[in-house]
Amino acid sequence: MLIEAGSLRDGDVVAADVCVLGAGAAGITLARALAGHRRTVSLIESGGLGPERDTQQLSDVTSVGVRYLPSRLRYFGGATNHWGGLCHVLDDEDFVPLPWIEHSGWPIHKADLEPHYERAFDILDIPARVTFADMERDTDVYPRLLATSAFEPMLWLQSAPTRMGQKYRQEIADSDRIRCYLHANAVELVPDAAAQRIVQARTRTIAGKSLAFAARHYIVSAGGVENPRLLLASDSVVPGGLGNRYDLVGRYFMEHVFMLAGWMFAVPPPGTKGFQEEYVQLRGPREHPGVSGGLFGFRATPPFRRQHRLLGFSINALASARPRDASVEAVEELLAQSATVDRKTGQRGRSLRLIVFGECGPNPKSRIYLGGELDALGQRKAVVDLQTTPSDRRTVEKGVHAFAVELARSGHGRVKVELPSEDTPLPMAGGHHLGTTRMSDDPTRGVTDPHGRVHGLANLYLAGGSLFTTGGFANPTLTIVALALRQADDIERAMDVVPPEIQPPSDP
Amino acid sequence: MQNLMVGRREMLKLFASAGSALLLVDGRDHAIFGARMHPDAPSDSTRHLALLGRRLAEGQPRLARGLASHVERQIALDGGRTTFASRAAAARRFFLRPDRLRREFDRGAVVSVGGWILARSEAAVCAWAHSFLARETQIA
């Protein structure tokens, strides 16, 4: 059921089994999954069914450190209303502690997420998990451009992109168990006097109406900036905010390096008919639904990362018009001279843009905190202090350079590297807000436990990218949905452990 | 042979006035590619390489000079070719062998030239082509 919060009486208290704050990828997934367990859910959404300026402005932040304005959409469906749909699962090594990446290591393994990844594929309308090897098996003309000890080819998968607000709007509107309250802005989570469990989530409409939501379990799924913001703002009982005993809430804010890194001028091996980008672009989507049409890439192998102590990264190639640069002719000439190109075949080189997706190292100094400026609801705005680590840049520089050498060594191309100078920050343009309420077994090292439950609070969970301990290089939505599905199962199992002590419900 | 040398210089002088001067003075990349006016004029492919050589000389002049000298010495060892075409061919034959290039990439003997990651020998041939053209046009 979709309910306008403004239609309720000021001061109403609404009860359900679970209160989910934020109706984006994680929140909608959790609400649907819990409803599937026959639980009643209050799904709280700050916005309406479409973008509205006054609501969107509630997300305004101040940027210090690396200039960064997080891209978010504050209405039903959240960031899935504008995401590109590019997907990839995290790699095994993204979950394990790596000695050369300080603060790395998730408290769960990839195997814990695997079954949920499979379900997430359905939710995001990705028909199948296709790998590079699958595609290669299906053709005898598919040349491996580059597969070395340092790099291995990879394919990106493509969601429609699924707009979860559109896809699930009717289902939620028709649901007996999910009541989605629109234009209800969470302003505080209220714990009991002992600060051991949440007893109420307070919300306010922009028009000034106050509503409270009571539940046996609370899940905050409002994104990597708003999740810590709400915890920090909930300080009426616990100074410094909820879950913040060790000053961890908002820290370890991570994005993704997302940047053009130069050109790849590639020449097909003699005797081959096709080329990777052609195959992926022309045959991939047709023969392998779900494969991203046009984006293939190369990721660093674990041994290469270990040898050079690098973060995760992938170098992706996007077919492009030939650059207006006479030096391309020169490079083509060099390739021809070196006899790796068979001139008789008439094969010409291809120009591709190189796009780097890079991991940002976890850094406690990179953080979200509350500033002094207030929003229209009188809530303190978030300050975003994005800080990079030296490894971020070193990974990109070493990665692109190594890729250039490996490609040249293979005899099939050359790379022109175009990276920003030392005094220019690397572009952080993924629009991914990760790590600000990271998971850990140890309360001194993470805000939540491995289930996403806030340490020290029996019935408060966080969901979404803020749980990530490290970000890998892959776009996070697929993992966010998989994590949410896993959490729904966890919460269902915990449902009867925590005794229900909720406020008496009122009829909305 | 002397006539041939003069002829090449004359050609290069024309080339310089028509286009190469633009290359050297205002840096327009395409200016180096003038019409061929002499059988021994540098080929388009050599001019392409010279373009990269110029970029190397601008960014790392000392390295460019050293690499060009190295190529020049090798050509001399190879029998002291006389025509530009034969010298260029000798340079390419010796320095752009695939096995040589692969060995250099294997051991990381690479040079960044205007962002392009090239084997050291590739950069050397480019540097030589540029130094040769530049020297000839200055003499002319």
Side-chain angles (χ1 to χ4, degrees):
Chain A
M1 186 181 298
L2 296 173
I3 300 166
E4 273 296 333
S7 68
L8 275 65
R9 295 186 302 271
D10 188 46
D12 273 350
V13 179
V14 180
D17 290 326
V18 183
C19 175
V20 178
L21 297 131
I28 288 177
T29 300
L30 278 156
R32 292 182 64 246
L34 288 163
H37 288 301
R38 310 182 71 80
R39 301 297 176 182
T40 57
V41 179
S42 293
L43 178 58
I44 314 301
E45 172 52 48
S46 166
L49 297 174
E52 297 157 7
R53 178 173 293 182
D54 54 353
T55 299
Q56 189 63 40
Q57 285 174 341
L58 296 173
S59 292
D60 287 352
V61 301
T62 303
S63 171
V64 299
V66 175
R67 180 171 166 71
Y68 181 75
L69 293 176
S71 152
R72 290 170 291 166
L73 290 180
R74 202 173 171 113
Y75 65 95
F76 189 68
T80 67
N81 286 303
H82 70 168
W83 75 310
L86 212 56
C87 290
H88 204 274
V89 298
L90 291 181
D91 291 329
D92 291 309
E93 62 267 27
D94 289 326
F95 291 87
V96 299
L98 300 173
W100 63 91
I101 303 178
E102 204 176 0
H103 312 293
S104 63
W106 290 48
I108 62 174
H109 301 288
K110 186 178 179 183
D112 296 321
L113 274 188
E114 279 292 359
H116 308 290
Y117 268 133
E118 295 302 325
R119 294 159 66 196
F121 272 61
D122 288 338
I123 290 172
L124 296 175
D125 304 304
I126 301 167
R129 187 189 297 192
V130 183
T131 66
F132 185 88
D134 294 328
M135 293 186 74
E136 197 174 37
R137 251 197 315 273
D138 292 348
T139 176
D140 57 355
V141 296
Y142 192 112
R144 271 178 178 256
L145 177 64
L146 188 66
T148 69
S149 60
F151 293 94
E152 56 190 0
M154 60 168 284
L155 292 173
W156 288 89
L157 301 176
Q158 183 71 51
S159 168
T162 298
R163 309 288 180 215
M164 291 186 68
Q166 294 172 19
K167 180 178 178 182
Y168 295 115
R169 175 179 167 177
Q170 198 58 49
E171 177 187 316
I172 289 172
D174 294 342
S175 173
D176 294 333
R177 297 195 178 91
I178 302 173
R179 291 188 171 188
C180 179
Y181 297 89
L182 302 172
H183 297 110
N185 301 286
V187 294
E188 186 179 10
L189 296 164
V190 182
D192 60 9
Q196 291 181 340
R197 52 197 308 267
I198 302 299
V199 295
Q200 215 169 60
R202 289 187 179 151
T203 71
R204 200 173 305 140
T205 67
I206 287 182
K209 190 172 284 187
S210 292
L211 303 169
F213 293 85
R216 293 160 69 183
H217 290 276
Y218 297 80
I219 308 167
V220 184
S221 53
V225 177
E226 294 299 315
N227 280 6
R229 184 185 179 200
L230 184 58
L231 292 185
L232 294 170
S234 301
D235 60 355
S236 61
V237 175
V238 182
L242 297 173
N244 201 27
R245 181 176 175 188
Y246 297 101
D247 187 25
L248 292 172
V249 172
R251 293 192 181 273
Y252 300 96
F253 177 47
M254 298 175 290
E255 238 279 19
H256 279 127
V257 175
F258 183 74
M259 59 181 290
L260 294 172
W263 295 88
M264 170 171 148
F265 184 75
V267 182
T272 59
K273 296 176 183 172
F275 216 27
Q276 281 186 335
E277 84 278 13
E278 288 177 338
Y279 189 85
V280 173
Q281 283 184 322
L282 301 179
R283 293 177 57 182
R286 191 176 67 237
E287 299 179 12
H288 300 278
V291 167
S292 167
L295 197 57
F296 74 99
F298 305 90
R299 63 181 162 191
T301 59
F304 179 74
R305 284 184 59 192
R306 193 177 309 122
Q307 180 187 356
H308 297 284
R309 304 170 68 83
L310 301 177
L311 298 163
F313 69 97
S314 70
I315 295 178
N316 306 282
L318 191 64
S320 167
R322 209 177 171 84
R324 288 187 168 186
D325 182 345
S327 67
V328 174
E329 310 287 340
V331 169
E332 194 167 26
E333 187 60 34
L334 280 174
L335 282 164
Q337 291 293 329
S338 63
T340 53
V341 178
D342 184 356
R343 280 181 156 168
K344 291 176 186 170
T345 65
Q347 287 176 325
R348 295 203 67 201
R350 311 291 160 80
S351 296
L352 301 102
R353 290 309 305 261
L354 293 182
I355 305 169
V356 171
F357 294 170
E359 179 177 14
C360 295
N363 177 1
K365 292 179 180 171
S366 180
R367 59 186 292 218
I368 308 289
Y369 58 93
L370 298 183
E373 207 176 334
L374 303 181
D375 68 14
L377 296 171
Q379 297 291 108
R380 292 168 68 186
K381 291 185 179 179
V383 177
V384 178
D385 185 0
L386 177 60
Q387 301 285 338
T388 59
T389 69
S391 294
D392 301 359
R393 178 178 289 273
R394 195 171 62 78
T395 293
V396 172
E397 291 177 348
K398 175 66 185 172
V400 175
H401 188 269
F403 178 77
V405 172
E406 289 290 323
L407 180 69
R409 198 165 68 90
S410 77
H412 300 316
R414 295 290 186 274
V415 165
K416 184 181 187 187
V417 179
E418 293 177 348
L419 294 176
S421 60
E422 285 284 341
D423 54 355
T424 306
L426 294 176
M428 303 282 174
H432 310 143
H433 315 129
L434 310 173
T436 49
T437 61
R438 66 198 327 243
M439 295 191 291
S440 174
D441 289 313
D442 180 351
T444 67
R445 299 167 70 89
V447 175
T448 78
D449 70 9
H451 306 288
R453 189 179 61 85
V454 176
H455 284 296
L457 283 156
N459 65 343
L460 177 59
Y461 292 78
L462 302 171
S466 68
L467 295 178
F468 286 31
T469 306
T470 51
F473 68 78
N475 292 11
T477 302
L478 181 64
T479 301
I480 287 172
V481 172
L483 266 176
L485 290 166
R486 177 176 176 269
Q487 282 184 290
D489 292 349
D490 291 341
I491 292 168
E492 174 58 23
R493 278 192 289 274
M495 189 61 74
D496 296 321
V497 176
V498 178
E501 295 173 11
I502 57 177
Q503 301 288 330
S506 68
D507 193 10
Chain B
M1 187 54 58
Q2 184 64 24
N3 288 341
L4 183 64
M5 292 297 289
V6 170
R8 186 172 72 247
R9 288 183 181 175
E10 285 174 347
M11 179 279 301
L12 287 168
K13 188 174 180 181
L14 286 168
F15 172 65
S17 63
S20 186
L22 285 175
L23 165 75
L24 297 172
V25 175
D26 75 8
R28 287 166 53 184
D29 290 346
H30 64 272
I32 201 166
F33 305 110
R36 276 206 263 177
M37 300 169 192
H38 188 280
D40 193 31
S43 64
D44 278 353
S45 64
T46 300
R47 292 175 194 166
H48 284 130
L49 300 186
L51 176 73
L52 277 182
R54 178 170 65 81
R55 294 193 180 174
L56 178 62
E58 288 168 352
Q60 303 175 73
R62 193 171 166 186
L63 174 64
R65 279 197 301 275
L67 290 173
S69 301
H70 179 55
V71 174
E72 195 64 56
R73 281 195 301 276
Q74 185 57 45
I75 292 171
L77 284 174
D78 197 41
R81 312 285 172 169
T82 50
T83 66
F84 178 81
S86 63
R87 291 155 71 89
R92 291 171 181 210
R93 205 165 43 241
F94 185 83
F95 285 96
L96 298 184
R97 289 197 319 271
D99 59 329
R100 180 187 179 98
L101 299 181
R102 191 162 294 120
R103 274 201 307 275
E104 291 186 2
F105 284 120
D106 276 344
R107 65 171 202 267
V110 297
V111 178
S112 174
V113 183
W116 291 99
I117 305 299
L118 303 179
R120 193 175 175 83
S121 287
E122 291 176 317
V125 172
C126 294
W128 173 79
H130 172 256
S131 75
F132 185 87
L133 285 179
R135 190 171 64 239
E136 292 297 324
T137 52
Q138 282 169 358
I139 290 169

